[in-house]
Amino acid sequence: MTDIQRFRSPLSAPLSKAVVVGGFLFLSGQTPKNADLTPLRGSIQEQTRNVIEAIRASLSEFGVGLATVVRCTCWLSDIGLMKEFNSVYEEYFGDALPVRSTVEARLSNDVDVEIEVTCWIGQA
């Protein structure tokens, strides 16, 4: 049986921040937040940068970076924001683009973006 490591979220929601199993690291979806954990308002570019920086910070806790991301699932409040979202997304992932799904959805706290990632961190 494969060991499953679960890392509880510091938020009040009943979820794991991350799960590591079989060489993969799964991060829960990230939404844009201010330092006090309130929803970050602003342009889709500001919100996207905030979310990807939060993902980067979480990955660093596991000793890995954005280059290990193999899959992203992205939700946008309005698919019309795709061009602006993509411009920031590409700044961070460049030539190491993960596979990705992007859909339009109503997001919690009326933010404009949420991203979750799966990373390859190697065999334990």
Side-chain angles (χ1 to χ4, degrees), residues 47-115:
Q47 291 185 47
T48 303
R49 277 191 184 84
N50 178 274
V51 168
I52 296 175
E53 286 296 334
I55 290 169
R56 180 186 271 171
S58 292
L59 294 178
S60 72
E61 294 174 25
F62 294 90
V64 297
L66 291 174
T68 65
V69 176
V70 295
R71 179 168 183 71
C72 285
T73 304
C74 307
W75 294 269
L76 298 176
S77 64
D78 178 349
I79 209 70
L81 299 170
M82 181 77 83
K83 182 178 178 180
E84 294 87 354
F85 168 80
N86 279 338
S87 68
V88 174
Y89 182 91
E90 193 167 19
E91 286 175 27
Y92 283 92
F93 289 102
D95 292 332
L97 292 169
V99 296
R100 185 178 103 184
S101 299
T102 306
V103 297
E104 180 179 282
R106 183 168 177 222
L107 301 173
S108 65
N109 298 312
D110 293 318
V111 296
D112 292 317
V113 62
E114 181 170 348
I115 302 173

Side-chain angles (χ1 to χ4, degrees), residues 21-36:
V21 63
F24 287 96
L25 167 65
F26 301 87
L27 292 184
S28 286
Q30 295 284 322
T31 57
K33 293 179 185 61
N34 292 301
D36 64 359

